[in-house]
Amino acid sequence: MAIAVNEKVFTLCTKNSMYQMKADEHGVLLHTYYGKRTEQMDFSYLIQKRDHGFSGNPYDAETDRKYSLDTLPQEYSCQGNGDYRESAFAVRNQYGVSASDLRFQGYEILKGKYEIPGLPAFYAEDSAQADTLVISMKDRDGEILVKLYYGVFEEFDLITRAVCVENLGEEEVYLERALSCCVDQTCGNWDWMTFYGKHEMERQVSRTQVHHGIQSVGSLRGTSSHQYNPFVVLAAPHTTETQGNCFGVSLLYSGSFLAQVEKDQFDQTRVLMGIHPGNFCYKLLPGQSFWTPEAAMVYSDSGFEAMSHNYHKAIRNHLCRGKFKNARRPVLINNWEGTYFDFTGEKLFHMAEEAADMGVELFVMDDGWFGKRDSDNSGLGDWYVNEKKLGCTLQELSAKIHGLGMKFGIWYEPECVSEDSDLYRAHPDWAFTVPGRKPVRSRNQLVLDFSRQEVRDHIFDQMSAVLDRAEVDYLKWDFNRSICDVYSAALSADRQGEVLHRYVLGLYEFLERLGKRYPDMLMEGCSGGGGRFDAGMLYYTPQIWCSDDTDAIERLDIQYGTSFCYPVSTMGAHVSACPNHQTGRSVPLSTRATVAMAGTFGYELDPAKLTSEEKAEIREQIIRFKEYYELIQTGDYFRLTSPDTERYYSAWEFAALDKKEALVSVVASRVRANDQPSRVLLRGLQENGIYLCDGKEYTGGALMYAGLPLPEAKQEYESWNFHFLLKE
Ligand code: GLA
């Protein structure tokens, strides 16, 4: 049983982990344990109460000076009750006071996994795959009900959390802080890993020691952002890929977020994650409730690798949805880096023709096909086909491309508007702008107020007028700026703190509607590359363009960092032209393909500029990708090297779950003179099995413990793929 209740001790068990909380004699819900699974017992013996002088004591603790909320590990900490650490929850009442004190009321165990209205959440296809625990807490004046939801997926060591807050009182209240999770660890030193970056350099790994005080990452941009990903890892010092205790927290949310660790005066560490409290304030009328987004935690007692594998499997099977969840995605060609805005229908058709000849299966027409859009200064918001530029209707272009035996896809940026557009001229108040002020521009565009139903409906109608008529098999949903000037003309002054969250709910509602209306259309998320690469988006789009940086060498680090939480089936990756448009670097075509194959795989270049040798090579690459597809998408992904410790090679491996096959890819990311021999240790093989590769035989044990010698790099950025088959 995944959920055990003994008196008021609640234990959540997964295959390898255990999470426990206890409602104590005062009804305070204490967090007692999160770690390796062991025999069940009451872990509150770990909590040592002492008289800590200046730490306050709640009134109901009477004269017990050892009982203080400032020092106890709490399951859902509140602001204003004597806990001076940063809290998960703050609500301002009719007196203007933000002082909550939540106490245990009761619990419920449900079969299957809870859902969150209007927000993404991990799901169980049948109720045997997950269990739900709901713990109810009430503020001491009885007016606020807080329900803590826990979803337990035993198989993936995955515990999800979400919170529902209800106003039971007769007055309105203002929710100022409603984070999705709080995890207090009473002792131990921790490292914390975050994934930072910028446009064209997303999800670089940062690992630092948690020190006294507060460390945080987050976003106030209205999107999850290029700068920090809503995924963090807490790890015991010295944790490696294969050893050590760690747990990840991923927030299923595509808007502003906060992830924070705080090490307090007694060396306790609190982890908080949820909607960023900055620029957030939600008014709750009597009887109304508010759901936080979901946080998903995976614990591993054997290093990062096991944690990542569980996230990968859970995301692929219990978060991504729809027809393409497990289907092979078509190998695509996107025209963006091949033409930018400079194309005609004829040019695109020729690109498609040549691509079809090489075995490409889907042609994607990127930005520039609609309205007045020959540069990024105009046209967003006018989603009607520019037939003059295409020289035909979209139906005709789509039909011609289908005639090549290819599928056809298009690009949209539904959330944005150009000032130079019919839409903006007709509805200037639909864009975020602060009253009386000129807006802040970014890429010369503004953001539509997607918190408003009529705005979403208008864009949806425009889009479906196009999508209903032409055969469109794929849609790239882009979003190319951060949000600013957050003001909604549809909301009163006391509700402006709700705008960014309502925006995200609006975005999700739109994506849900689109997915339902076009169930056969594959959707790829994008935000200037990977600016909204988060688990929330993956509920709606099973893949996301990983980065606008298509340089294969830069991609090594980007895809490495991304892989800590997200599976390769979600990472949009393309082979582009050389010299690369972002870095000017030239990398062999074979290496560009090796790197893109650790993703959804496609091309983004003008085939007319390829030599016949290159075309022949691409033909071979596509055949090879299809051959390995199953292994790449469903096998376990292993990071064999880390950019921190290995400067000369990058290596990764896909191993079939039954260990019968493995593919090892190696890129010489830097060459040196008088090179010394190197080896890489493989993983995920049968120790006593005999594996065949390029006519040689190896035992799995030899490959895993002694290693595979790497060939000498003869040129910069050379790469190799080693395919191992278990001898039956
Ligand atoms: C963003 C995307 C690119 C491309 C351009 C088009 O930058 O990440 O892939 O679609 O927009 O404007």
Side-chain angles (χ1 to χ4, degrees), residues 26 51 57-67:
H26 301 293
D51 180 355
N57 316 113
Y59 208 77
D60 47 340
E62 299 184 352
T63 52
D64 183 358
R65 289 168 53 163
K66 293 184 180 168
Y67 190 90

Side-chain angles (χ1 to χ4, degrees), residues 199 226 334 336-337 340-341 366-368 373 376 411 413 443 445 476 478-480 526-530 545 547-548 574 604:
H199 179 225
H226 298 90
N334 177 306
W336 179 244
E337 287 199 15
Y340 295 104
F341 290 106
D366 210 276
D367 195 355
R373 182 76 171 170
D376 52 11
W411 178 97
E413 192 176 353
R443 207 192 185 195
Q445 63 196 52
K476 177 170 165 188
D478 209 342
F479 182 57
N480 286 315
C526 177
S527 175
W545 181 226
S547 177
D548 270 349
H574 300 165
E604 185 159 335

Side-chain angles (χ1 to χ4, degrees), residues 76 78 89-91 100-108 134-149 162-171 173 175 177-178 284-292:
Y76 199 60
C78 305
F89 185 70
V91 59
S100 303
D101 195 354
L102 296 172
R103 301 293 172 105
F104 177 79
Q105 288 295 309
Y107 74 94
E108 216 182 331
V134 191
I135 294 190
S136 301
M137 322 251 287
K138 258 192 198 166
D139 206 348
R140 292 175 76 195
D141 56 15
E143 296 193 339
I144 300 292
L145 174 69
V146 170
K147 286 187 169 175
L148 306 180
Y149 281 77
V163 179
C164 183
V165 183
E166 195 181 332
N167 181 0
L168 302 179
E170 285 174 1
E171 304 284 340
V173 296
L175 210 49
R177 189 178 258 267
L284 277 186
L285 296 175
Q288 284 186 335
S289 48
F290 177 91
W291 274 91
T292 71

Side-chain angles (χ1 to χ4, degrees), residues 324-379:
F324 290 93
K325 170 176 158 173
N326 285 317
R328 184 170 79 71
R329 320 272 166 77
V331 176
L332 68 77
I333 184 157
N334 177 306
N335 73 304
W336 179 244
E337 287 199 15
T339 64
Y340 295 104
F341 290 106
D342 185 16
F343 61 82
T344 61
E346 209 181 310
K347 167 77 189 160
L348 298 184
F349 179 68
H350 287 313
M351 288 175 87
E353 244 179 350
E354 300 208 52
D357 188 48
M358 294 186 287
V360 176
E361 300 161 308
L362 161 68
F363 182 84
V364 179
M365 176 170 68
D366 210 276
D367 195 355
W369 59 267
F370 53 90
K372 184 184 137 207
R373 182 76 171 170
D374 286 322
S375 76
D376 52 11
N377 293 317
S378 61

